[in-house]
C-alpha cells in the first residue's frame, strides 16, 4: 500500500538540527553545543514531589486544563514576576510542554490562507506549525545591527501590516536577544494599529542577565486581550523531559485551545504537574543558582569568541549566543567542518529562518570544562582555515 501524504506535510522539510546530531551520534568524542536544554537536573524538591505522587498512586487524569492548584500557583507566579493577571479557572491551560500550547494556538486561531508573521531567526517549530494549520508564513527578519530585536521597520518592510497574527519569542531562541519594555511598546502599538493577534513565547523569561528584567508584551496597554503567552518548566526549572508548559490568554481563546487539547491530549502528564507545583512553591533559589551559572558561562563564551576573532553580539537572555562565521564559510560549511574535524557540534543559524544566515547557534547549557575545551577546538579550526 502507498500512503498518500498530505501536501502540508510534504512541504515541510526535516529538522535542520537533526542532521548534525546524527553525524555527532556516530562519534563518542563530540562536545555538543547544540542542545537547547539545561544540563542541570530538575531540582530535588520537584523530583521528590513527583516521586511522592507516584508512591501515593496519584496517576489518574487531571482536569483537562490542569490541576486547579497548579493553575492557581501559575496565576500567582506570573502576577508576582511579570505583572500579569489571569483567572486560573478560565484563562490558563496546562499543556504537555510549551510546544503543545504553541501548536494548540495555531490550530485554534489560524484558518487556511491566514498570514502569520514570524520574527526570525526563531524556534524551528513555529513555521511548520503554521503550515500544518493551513496558514501562510511571512518571515520578518531581525538584524544583528539591531541586536536581533524586532522593530517596526522590520515589520513594515516585511508587510506584516497585512498579516493576521504575529509570533515572537523573547528572550530569543536562537540568538539570545531580549526586548525591554521600551523595545516592546512600538511593537504593541503596531499590533493594535493593524489588529494583529500576538503569540508571545516567553519560555526563557527567567533567563535574563546584566540586570535586565523580563517584560511580557501582554502586560502593555491594550495587549492582554489580543495576546496568548506561552511559558513552562523546561528551561528555568530544568524539566525538559517532564513535558509541562502552559498558556495564558483571554477566556474565549483559552477555551478554544482547550477544546482541541481535550480531544488530543486529554490532560498534561499528572506526575509532571505535581513536580511543577512544587517547583513554583519551593525552587526559586534553585532557579536563581542556575541562572547565575548560565550568566558565568555566557560571559566566558562571549569573551572567547571575541578572542578567536568571531564577531558576536552581546546576548542577554536564554542560554544561547549567535556568533558570525568567519569570512569564506557558510554557516553550514563551518558547522559541518568543525564537527568532522574537531568534534564540536553547533547549529547553523540558517535553520532558524531568515536573519540567521552566516551565524551559529551556540548553547552554553553545558559545563564550563566542556565549554573551555569546545572553544579551544573551535579556535584551532579557525586558525587552521585562516
Amino acid at each position: 500500500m502507498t500512503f498518500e501524504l498530505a501536501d502540508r506535510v510534504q512541504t515541510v522539510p526535516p529538522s535542520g538540527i537533526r542532521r548534525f546530531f546524527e553525524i555527532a551520534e556516530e562519534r563518542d568524542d563530540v562536545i555538543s553545543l547544540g542542545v537547547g536544554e539545561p544540563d542541570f537536573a530538575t531540582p530535588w524538591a520537584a523530583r521528590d514531589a513527583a516521586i511522592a505522587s507516584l508512591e501515593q498512586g496519584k496517576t489518574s487524569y487531571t482536569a483537562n486544563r490542569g490541576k486547579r492548584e497548579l493553575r492557581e500557583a501559575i496565576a500567582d507566579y506570573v502576577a508576582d514576576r511579570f505583572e500579569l493577571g489571569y483567572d486560573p479557572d478560565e484563562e490558563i491551560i496546562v499543556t504537555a510542554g510549551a510546544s503543545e500550547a504553541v501548536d494548540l494556538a495555531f490550530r485554534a486561531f489560524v484558518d487556511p490562507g491566514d498570514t502569520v508573521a514570524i520574527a526570525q531567526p526563531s524556534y524551528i517549530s513555529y513555521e511548520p506549525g503554521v503550515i500544518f494549520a493551513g496558514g501562510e508564513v511571512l518571515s520578518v527578519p531581525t538584524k544583528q545591527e539591531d541586536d536581533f530585536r524586532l522593530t517596526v521597520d522590520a515589520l513594515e518592510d516585511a508587510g506584516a501590516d497585512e498579516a493576521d497574527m504575529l509570533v515572537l519569542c523573547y528572550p530569543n531562541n536562537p540568538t539570545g536577544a531580549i526586548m525591554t519594555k521600551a523595545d516592546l511598546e512600538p511593537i504593541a502599538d503596531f499590533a493594535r494599529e493593524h489588529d494583529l493577534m500576538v503569540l508571545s513565547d516567553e519560555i526563557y523569561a527567567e533567563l535574563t542577565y546584566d540586570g535586565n528584567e523580563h517584560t511580557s508584551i501582554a502586560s502593555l496597554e491594550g495587549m492582554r486581550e489580543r495576546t496568548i503567552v506561552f511559558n513552562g518548566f523546561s528551561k528555568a526549572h530544568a524539566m525538559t523531559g517532564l513535558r509541562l508548559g502552559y498558556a495564558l490568554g483571554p477566556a474565549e481563546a483559552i477555551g478554544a485551545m482547550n477544546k482541541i487539547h481535550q480531544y488530543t491530549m486529554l490532560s498534561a502528564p499528572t506526575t509532571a504537574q505535581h513536580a511543577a507545583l512544587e517547583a513554583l512553591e519551593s525552587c526559586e533559589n534553585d532557579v536563581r543558582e542556575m541562572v547565575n551559572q548560565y550568566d558565568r558561562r555566557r560571559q566566558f563564551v562571549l569573551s572567547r569568541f571575541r578572542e578567536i576573532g568571531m564577531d558576536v553580539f552581546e546576548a542577554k537572555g536564554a542560554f544561547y549566543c549567535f556568533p558570525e562565521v568567519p569570512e569564506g564559510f557558510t554557516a553550514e560549511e563551518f558547522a559541518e567542518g568543525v564537527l568532522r574535524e574537531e568534534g564540536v557540534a553547533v547549529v547553523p543559524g540558517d535553520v532558524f529562518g531568515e536573519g540567521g544566515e552566516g551565524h551559529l547557534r551556540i548553547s552554553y547549557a553545558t559545563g564550563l570544562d566542556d565549554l573551555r575545551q569546545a572553544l579551544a577546538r573551535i579556535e584551532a579550526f579557525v586558525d587552521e582555515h585562516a
Side-chain angles (χ1 to χ4, degrees), residues 189-201:
D189 291 342
F190 185 92
R192 289 192 300 270
E193 179 182 353
H194 299 289
D195 197 26
L196 295 178
M197 182 178 187
V198 175
L199 304 187
S200 182
D201 187 345

Side-chain angles (χ1 to χ4, degrees), residues 341-375:
E341 295 182 27
E342 298 292 342
V344 179
V346 299
V347 182
D350 45 6
V351 308
F352 300 100
E354 291 190 45
E357 300 90 346
H359 292 79
L360 306 170
R361 188 187 77 170
I362 304 293
S363 169
Y364 48 84
T366 191
L368 271 172
D369 287 344
D370 277 350
L371 287 172
R372 289 188 182 97
Q373 188 173 354
L375 269 294

Side-chain angles (χ1 to χ4, degrees), residues 42-65:
T42 303
W44 262 116
R47 282 185 273 168
D48 282 341
I51 293 166
S53 74
L54 291 170
E55 291 176 337
Q56 295 163 20
K58 296 178 179 179
T59 55
S60 301
Y61 295 127
T62 68
N64 293 137
R65 294 172 185 245

Side-chain angles (χ1 to χ4, degrees), residues 105-116 129-130 133-136 165 199:
F106 287 143
R107 288 198 278 169
F109 310 121
V110 176
D111 278 323
D114 283 355
T115 299
V116 179
V130 172
E136 299 179 1
M165 175 184 287
L199 304 187

Side-chain angles (χ1 to χ4, degrees), residues 53-379:
S53 74
L54 291 170
E55 291 176 337
Q56 295 163 20
K58 296 178 179 179
T59 55
S60 301
Y61 295 127
T62 68
N64 293 137
R65 294 172 185 245
K67 286 173 58 65
R68 192 176 195 283
E69 303 97 306
L70 178 56
R71 285 181 280 129
E72 289 175 337
I74 290 169
D76 290 342
Y77 165 72
V78 299
D80 178 60
R81 289 290 290 119
F82 309 120
E83 299 181 358
L84 296 172
Y86 289 95
D87 178 359
D89 290 322
E90 301 292 334
E91 298 180 319
I92 298 175
I93 183 171
V94 179
T95 56
S99 293
E100 190 214 349
V102 172
D103 181 59
L104 291 175
F106 287 143
R107 288 198 278 169
F109 310 121
V110 176
D111 278 323
D114 283 355
T115 299
V116 179
I118 302 176
Q120 294 185 330
S122 65
Y123 177 50
I124 60 172
S125 293
Y126 302 146
E127 189 165 333
V130 172
I131 294 170
F132 292 151
E136 299 179 1
V137 173
L138 176 68
S139 296
V140 184
T142 60
K143 302 175 182 177
Q144 178 163 328
E145 63 199 60
D146 298 319
D147 285 348
F148 292 105
R149 297 183 179 97
L150 179 62
T151 65
V152 170
D153 284 347
L155 289 165
E156 291 176 341
D157 289 346
D161 56 317
E162 299 293 330
D164 301 287
M165 175 184 287
L166 171 64
V167 181
L168 63 158
C169 173
Y170 289 94
N172 182 261
N173 172 12
T175 66
I178 64 169
M179 289 188 68
T180 65
K181 182 178 181 180
D183 296 325
L184 287 168
E185 284 173 337
I187 305 304
D189 291 342
F190 185 92
R192 289 192 300 270
E193 179 182 353
H194 299 289
D195 197 26
L196 295 178
M197 182 178 187
V198 175
L199 304 187
S200 182
D201 187 345
E202 302 178 18
I203 189 69
Y204 295 97
E206 288 285 1
L207 307 186
T208 57
Y209 314 108
D210 288 351
N212 291 287
E213 291 289 335
H214 177 72
T215 296
S216 173
I217 195 169
S219 69
L220 303 184
E221 182 181 355
M223 291 305 295
R224 185 187 187 281
E225 58 265 34
R226 66 175 63 250
T227 302
I228 306 294
V229 175
F230 308 114
N231 207 326
F233 299 88
S234 291
K235 309 303 182 179
H237 294 89
M239 289 171 53
T240 50
L242 293 175
R243 307 310 304 133
L244 208 72
Y246 54 89
L248 315 168
E252 183 179 11
I254 295 300
M257 292 169 64
N258 187 51
K259 185 182 291 187
I260 302 168
H261 174 75
Q262 66 188 0
Y263 286 118
T264 57
M265 191 59 66
L266 298 175
S267 62
T270 301
T271 306
Q273 292 191 53
H274 287 280
L277 180 58
E278 185 64 31
L280 289 178
E281 291 179 346
S282 66
C283 294
E284 183 178 349
N285 289 338
D286 298 88
V287 172
R288 187 178 299 115
E289 177 57 28
M290 286 188 277
V291 172
N292 288 339
Q293 291 291 331
Y294 290 139
D295 192 21
R296 287 181 59 206
R297 300 170 184 181
R298 177 186 70 95
Q299 294 177 56
F300 169 75
V301 170
L302 290 173
S303 67
R304 282 293 284 125
F305 272 116
R306 288 167 183 146
E307 289 173 2
I308 292 168
M310 293 175 65
D311 189 25
V312 59
F313 93 104
E314 188 80 12
K316 295 184 179 181
F319 39 59
Y320 310 106
C321 67
F322 209 57
E324 284 191 69
V325 298
E327 192 172 334
F329 286 97
T330 67
E332 187 165 327
E333 288 168 347
F334 189 98
E336 189 158 340
V338 78
L339 175 56
R340 293 193 182 281
E341 295 182 27
E342 298 292 342
V344 179
V346 299
V347 182
D350 45 6
V351 308
F352 300 100
E354 291 190 45
E357 300 90 346
H359 292 79
L360 306 170
R361 188 187 77 170
I362 304 293
S363 169
Y364 48 84
T366 191
L368 271 172
D369 287 344
D370 277 350
L371 287 172
R372 289 188 182 97
Q373 188 173 354
L375 269 294
R377 294 182 185 185
I378 290 173
E379 183 172 32

